[in-house]
Amino acid sequence: MKRILIGLIAAAVLAAGGWFGFNLYAKHRATAEIEATFEHIRSQGGKASHGKIAFDVISRTLTIEDIAVDPGPQSQLNARITGIKAAGVRQIDDARFSAETIDVSGIEFTVDTAVGPSQLKATYKIPQAAVRDYTGELRLPDARASGSIVDLYRFWLEQLGRVTASSILVPTITIATTTNSGSSASNIGDMAYSGLQIRNLRRGKADATNADRFTFTMQVPQPGKSEKITGELSNLVMNDLDMTAMLASFDPEKANDDSYHRVYRQISTGPYVLTSTQGVRMQIDSITVDDLAIKPSKFRMAEMLAALPQDQSAPPTPAQARDIIEKFAGVYEGLLIGKVGVRNLSLGTPQGTARLNAVKYDQGEFALEGLDAPTPQGQIKMERFALKSLSPTHLLRWTAGLINPGQAPSPDQMLGLFRALDGAEIKGAVTPYKNTRQLVTIDTISLNWGQLVGSIPSKANLVVKMVAPTDRTNPAQLPLTMAGIDKLAINLDLGAAWTEASGAFALAPVTIDLGNLAKAQARLALASVPRGVFSADPAQAMGQAAQIETGAIELSLRDNGAIDLVVAQFARMQNVSRDAARSTIVELIRARGEQIASANPDIRAAVDAFASFVATSGQTLAIKLTPLGKVPVVQLMNLLSNEPIVALAQFRIEASTGL
């Protein structure tokens, strides 16, 4: 029995010795791995130190205290960490390890890097961070030492592409930024995140990234002063984030990649509040952006930053401005955005608060909806304003082409705007008319164009439906105001299209409806219209216009009160009764017709129809002109200016009236 007891004691002593020996070995190995990493930094000319290292074998918990890393004078980054505690640590192979949990405290790191011509310094402070179910590499590769923010972003995106984690939680982050343009350093602003979380990070892709709150302050230089802007944004959520897609835009090997890489499926946030020391306050209830993707061959941030002027103390030269805008145009060309939605925007102004129900971008259409804003003349309201098939790339390049001080833009440059969008629309607008209490009411103004020949549309349509007040100060509107007409209803429908195969050009329909006065309709056909007539060069266009031939012309005019208005005005001028005035006007028409009827018998029928139209209110006058042969448009225009009777003789004239 005694021998058995002695054997058990000996076994226990040996086991305890083995356990403590293994524990010391495990700690030594962990220390050696960590020290090797720090020594690698020191061998590259940097500084790296740490405090106490402990490793518990039972829980496989590694702790490291007081970490300080300064990679060297050429590096953009230095960092300090109070402590790291990793539990459930396992070494997967020679290059990777995993941990069930990693808790980090007292993180502070500074990024000092070049952004264009300026040096940007940002200091990040993170009191606590927690990572769950982590897998990553034992040693980080060397950070690039070019001093470029592009290389720094690329480095960190590459590292995120090498790790996995079920969650990363950062309760708070504060960021202070300053810039140094060479002469002096100045504070840009401060930012802070709270409740930042990344879920299911898998080698650069995350199911969701969200932050409960984001705040910032920014100093905006103004002439002779600096304005402070503060902002607060809540409930920021990014779904299906793919950082490897963003990495492609920094990768030189992807410079010829013309495919689109989706960065995220949706980003949403709100509310968002922005205020300034000048008393401006903007608030937005929500913002959503769906399906943002980039094309690496176009979306090249390094090229855009390189285009910024090196001397920021002076405004960019016209050449520099054009180059910067061209670079931004290239960036936009590399962006693909599915939808953008901004809801319930309000903006404080000196005249009051402007409100907008929605800002939308979808399939190239940009729209503002539900505008209600004050102006010095009064309140303006609008249900919808839209730009159709808007191309930011073409718009920026068009703008860049206009930057040429001292030289007026050429007609071709001005017409380049037609390439940036395909139309515009206003619906349900009410605006003040000058400084009066009267209102202009717009039901619809819609302008669309297409089939560009060079920079000129060969197809267009304009629709206008509105009610405008008459202006007593305008001499041309005096007959209307004297007749007691205080509003004028205007309906306009104009369509024009050219067919290249046949050379036909049709102006139809053309409808002008002055609701309480008259309604006019017209149709015009042209033949042998060459492509060359759609030219920004006036000389070329006029030379090609000589080939155009006139087709049939149809006109109709419906009297809704215009004849009575003319008769009343004539009666006041002649100081006679309205019946006498109407009879006098009819006699004058017939007398004038007799003078010209001998030149064209068709004119007599037209004059009779027109006299009948004036004699009885509320009728419709219809006139059709059919060419008797080939009638060149240029020749017709000259005849109309100099010999209108001869011009009419080129047509068979048909005229009629009816109620």
Side-chain angles (χ1 to χ4, degrees), residues 398-541:
W398 175 73
T399 304
L402 298 180
I403 301 176
N404 199 353
Q407 182 176 343
S410 67
D412 191 55
Q413 286 177 313
M414 296 302 298
L415 292 169
L417 180 61
F418 287 120
R419 293 184 174 275
L421 64 160
D422 289 349
E425 179 182 65
I426 296 174
K427 283 191 173 182
V430 179
T431 65
Y433 180 71
K434 296 184 177 180
N435 290 318
T436 69
R437 294 185 178 182
Q438 295 178 300
L439 300 174
V440 176
T441 303
I442 300 172
D443 179 78
T444 300
I445 296 179
S446 177
L447 176 61
N448 303 291
W449 58 83
Q451 295 182 184
L452 296 185
V453 179
S455 299
I456 301 177
S458 63
K459 181 179 181 180
N461 179 250
L462 172 64
V463 175
V464 177
K465 295 182 180 180
M466 61 183 292
V467 177
T470 52
D471 188 352
R472 293 182 177 274
T473 63
N474 187 341
Q477 297 184 24
L478 187 60
L480 301 177
T481 56
M482 291 183 65
I485 298 176
D486 59 354
K487 294 180 181 179
L488 197 60
I490 304 170
N491 290 339
L492 172 65
D493 190 348
L494 170 62
W498 173 66
T499 304
E500 184 172 10
S502 63
F505 181 87
L507 193 64
V510 179
T511 302
I512 303 176
D513 188 351
L514 305 178
N516 43 357
L517 291 177
K519 179 179 181 180
Q521 290 184 309
R523 292 180 180 273
L524 170 64
L526 301 176
S528 302
V529 179
R531 182 182 182 88
V533 78
F534 297 97
S535 172
D537 183 352
Q540 178 182 335

Side-chain angles (χ1 to χ4, degrees), residues 54-372:
F55 185 78
D56 180 73
V57 176
I58 295 178
S59 62
R60 303 192 309 280
T61 299
L62 174 68
T63 58
I64 313 172
E65 298 177 357
D66 300 326
I67 299 170
V69 177
D70 184 354
Q74 299 301 317
S75 177
Q76 311 100 319
L77 175 69
N78 63 72
R80 293 182 179 276
I81 301 174
T82 301
I84 297 176
K85 181 178 180 181
V89 177
R90 295 180 184 275
Q91 185 170 344
I92 300 172
D93 52 36
D94 291 341
R96 297 179 302 150
F97 79 99
S98 67
E100 295 175 1
T101 63
I102 300 177
D103 294 301
V104 190
S105 61
I107 305 170
E108 180 176 337
F109 63 92
T110 300
V111 178
D112 195 348
T113 183
V115 179
S118 300
Q119 196 71 16
L120 180 69
K121 184 177 182 180
T123 301
Y124 295 73
K125 293 184 179 181
I126 305 172
Q128 298 287 336
V131 183
R132 298 295 179 262
D133 303 317
Y134 175 87
T135 300
E137 297 184 355
L138 282 170
R139 298 183 182 91
L140 288 176
D142 295 336
R144 294 171 178 83
S146 68
S148 166
I149 193 172
V150 173
D151 281 342
L152 184 62
Y153 276 139
R154 181 185 174 190
F155 173 77
W156 283 111
L157 288 171
E158 287 173 344
Q159 308 324 306
L160 288 171
R162 294 186 172 103
V163 305
T164 64
S166 63
S167 68
I168 301 174
L169 177 62
V170 183
T172 60
I173 301 177
T174 59
I175 308 166
T177 57
T178 59
T179 184
N180 189 335
S181 59
S183 58
S184 62
S186 59
N187 177 262
I188 297 177
D190 301 314
M191 294 175 281
Y193 290 88
S194 61
L196 179 63
Q197 184 176 14
I198 301 175
R199 295 194 297 275
N200 294 329
L201 175 64
R202 297 182 301 277
R203 298 192 175 277
K205 298 180 180 181
D207 288 353
T209 302
N210 61 274
D212 294 338
R213 188 167 176 259
F214 169 65
T215 60
F216 67 89
T217 61
M218 182 182 300
Q219 299 293 335
V220 180
Q222 299 287 344
K225 60 181 179 180
S226 179
E227 183 177 359
K228 182 178 180 181
I229 295 177
T230 61
E232 179 177 338
L233 184 149
S234 304
N235 305 321
L236 174 63
V237 178
M238 289 186 287
N239 292 314
D240 295 334
L241 174 64
D242 187 351
M243 286 168 278
T244 63
M246 183 61 71
L247 178 61
S249 70
F250 296 102
D251 189 350
E253 296 182 0
K254 300 287 187 180
N256 295 322
D257 187 350
D258 286 330
S259 61
Y260 281 102
H261 300 247
R262 192 176 75 173
V263 179
Y264 55 74
R265 177 174 56 83
Q266 185 186 70
I267 181 171
S268 63
T269 186
Y272 173 43
V273 179
L274 187 71
T275 58
S276 76
T277 51
Q278 301 299 315
V280 177
R281 186 178 191 275
M282 181 182 73
Q283 179 169 337
I284 298 173
D285 281 0
S286 68
I287 304 171
T288 59
V289 182
D290 293 348
D291 295 321
L292 184 141
I294 60 173
K295 182 189 293 185
S297 63
K298 298 294 183 181
F299 194 85
R300 311 300 298 176
M301 294 299 295
E303 296 177 8
M304 185 184 70
L305 292 174
L308 296 175
Q310 296 301 306
D311 183 8
Q312 291 188 326
S313 62
T317 65
Q320 288 174 330
R322 285 195 300 270
D323 189 43
I324 292 171
I325 295 174
E326 282 286 349
K327 295 296 184 184
F328 272 101
V331 170
Y332 273 107
E333 193 174 4
L335 275 176
L336 182 65
I337 301 176
K339 294 181 181 180
V340 178
V342 178
R343 298 288 182 184
N344 298 328
L345 183 150
S346 63
L347 178 66
T349 69
Q351 290 81 29
T353 300
R355 290 180 171 82
L356 188 63
N357 289 343
V359 179
K360 297 179 180 180
Y361 177 84
D362 186 6
Q363 302 297 319
E365 181 178 88
F366 174 80
L368 307 178
E369 296 181 354
L371 175 66
D372 188 353

